Amino acid sequence: MTRAIIIDTDPGQDDAVAILLALAANDALDVRGIVAVAGNVPLSLTQANARRLVDSAGRADVPVYAGCARPMVQPLRTAEYVHGQSGINGYDWPDPVAPLQDLHGVDFIIESLLAADDKEITLCALGPLTNIAMALVKVPECARGIREIVMMGGGFFTGGNTTPAAEFNILVDPHAAHVVFESGLPLTLMPLDVTHQALVTKERIAPFAAMNTRCGDACAGMFGFFNRFDSEKYGAEGAPLHDPCVIAYLLEPSLFSGKNIPVKIDIAPGLTLGMTVMDWWGVTDDAANCMVMNKIDADGYFALLTKMIGRLP
Ligand code: RIB
Ligand code: CA
């Protein structure tokens, strides 16, 4: 029995690896569609990058949609300084062949959820939460079709990566994150606290380069580019591989552990805008609303990635 998912994403090298992982796992995941959102780079690029990835994986059966071009309230903030101008620098990507669907990505999410059985579809959020929040605001009853929302975002003990308090995906659209975290839906979060335990070291890149496949070469090249910024910033031997944690959790949940706790989003202008305020020690009477992962078997994670990407052309 495969698990139905929709991937919402702002490719981004780590998004790209997450998407390839999902597309490789067609025996476990039924990828209903990929929806691009503005984030790491503008929407015109994130949608084209998502199309390049379905081409690269030989999965033209998976439709790609463009969602929102800007956050719900704030102006768009992008991260070319991390990901390069294209968003997936590090590999010589051909122009995309897979078509962009005409339907707006938010409407695809809504229509998919309305047509689904109760709790049928898992939303995998790899970027700012704009599209998912807009779907919940536009047609609240579509929530019925959501099994779980698994997100990469936020940080607590690790702090932020874009401001001292805020992680990029949440900071880009804190109001969208507020809508999602207040939705009452089953939420699972991969914050920086867990992704920073999964560093792309040279030893972990080597097997991808040895695959002699276009997807293996793309991952090895993107890892090399993606590493340069974060390993210098953190003085680490590799960059944290954020977004594939979301997909790895669906494939091998035992790689992760965490705690079901209250998480609120700071939407007030100021120093802590976009902070994921986590009541890790239960000091409030707030109800738990999110399963927050804080531990990962990093070797197991990269073994899974290597095995699955090795399936691709
Ligand atoms: O902070 C890391 C997150 O922001 C990742 O999803 C990365 O792709 C960027 O979107
Ligand atoms: Ca991302």
Side-chain angles (χ1 to χ4, degrees):
M1 175 77 174
T2 56
R3 181 167 182 165
I5 69 171
I6 291 174
I7 299 174
D8 195 89
T9 179
D10 63 335
Q13 288 88 353
D14 58 326
D15 303 69
V17 178
I19 291 166
L20 291 176
L21 174 60
L23 296 177
N26 53 359
D27 50 342
L29 301 176
D30 169 13
V31 183
R32 299 284 177 86
I34 298 175
V35 183
V37 67
N40 285 319
V41 289
L43 180 66
S44 60
L45 295 176
T46 57
Q47 60 88 347
N49 291 342
R51 293 159 55 208
R52 287 184 171 96
L53 289 158
V54 298
D55 290 341
S56 186
R59 290 295 309 277
D61 58 298
V62 177
V64 176
Y65 300 82
C68 295
R70 51 149 297 174
M72 295 177 86
V73 174
Q74 299 193 152
L76 176 61
R77 167 194 201 126
T78 54
E80 288 86 351
Y81 60 94
V82 177
H83 299 275
Q85 284 305 315
S86 77
I88 50 174
N89 285 36
Y91 182 67
D92 184 15
W93 294 94
D95 289 340
V97 171
L100 181 69
Q101 300 300 315
D102 293 337
L103 185 64
H104 191 285
V106 171
D107 294 324
F108 167 71
I109 292 170
I110 291 168
E111 292 182 15
S112 299
L113 293 174
L114 290 175
D117 293 336
D118 283 5
K119 302 184 188 303
E120 179 183 350
I121 299 178
T122 299
L123 303 183
C124 300
L126 311 181
L129 291 163
T130 314
N131 292 333
I132 294 173
M134 289 292 285
L136 294 173
V137 168
K138 183 176 179 185
V139 182
E141 54 271 25
C142 75
R144 176 191 55 72
I146 297 173
R147 172 175 170 177
E148 182 177 10
I149 302 176
V150 188
M151 306 163 274
M152 189 278 141
F156 190 57
F157 297 105
T158 305
N161 62 1
T162 307
T163 69
E167 176 277 329
F168 181 81
N169 286 342
I170 307 297
L171 180 67
V172 166
D173 199 338
H175 305 90
H178 174 75
V179 167
V180 171
F181 279 79
E182 297 302 316
S183 68
L185 288 162
L187 306 179
T188 300
L189 185 68
M190 298 289 168
L192 298 175
D193 304 77
V194 75
T195 66
H196 277 227
Q197 298 172 39
L199 302 182
V200 184
T201 61
K202 281 198 285 296
E203 297 73 23
R204 287 168 170 164
I205 294 176
F208 293 88
M211 289 174 187
N212 290 319
T213 62
R214 63 173 183 245
C215 289
D217 290 347
C219 289
M222 289 192 292
F223 286 147
F225 186 90
F226 187 58
N227 259 353
R228 91 212 180 288
F229 180 83
D230 277 357
S231 35
E232 192 178 322
K233 173 177 174 180
Y234 297 112
E237 51 176 320
L241 189 57
H242 306 289
D243 292 341
C245 287
V246 169
I247 306 301
Y249 166 74
L250 300 182
L251 298 175
E252 283 189 34
S254 61
L255 291 173
F256 301 90
S257 63
K259 207 172 173 183
N260 190 36
I261 60 169
V263 180
K264 293 187 182 303
I265 309 298
D266 187 349
I267 55 174
L271 271 180
T272 55
L273 174 68
M275 181 176 179
T276 45
V277 182
M278 299 187 189
D279 183 7
W280 191 264
W281 304 118
V283 297
T284 72
D285 295 330
D286 295 338
N289 62 335
C290 185
M291 182 67 193
V292 176
M293 299 299 179
N294 72 325
K295 285 194 176 55
I296 181 174
D297 167 2
D299 288 335
Y301 174 54
F302 280 95
L304 173 68
L305 274 172
T306 305
K307 180 181 79 174
M308 299 305 285
I309 302 295
R311 287 183 176 182
L312 296 174

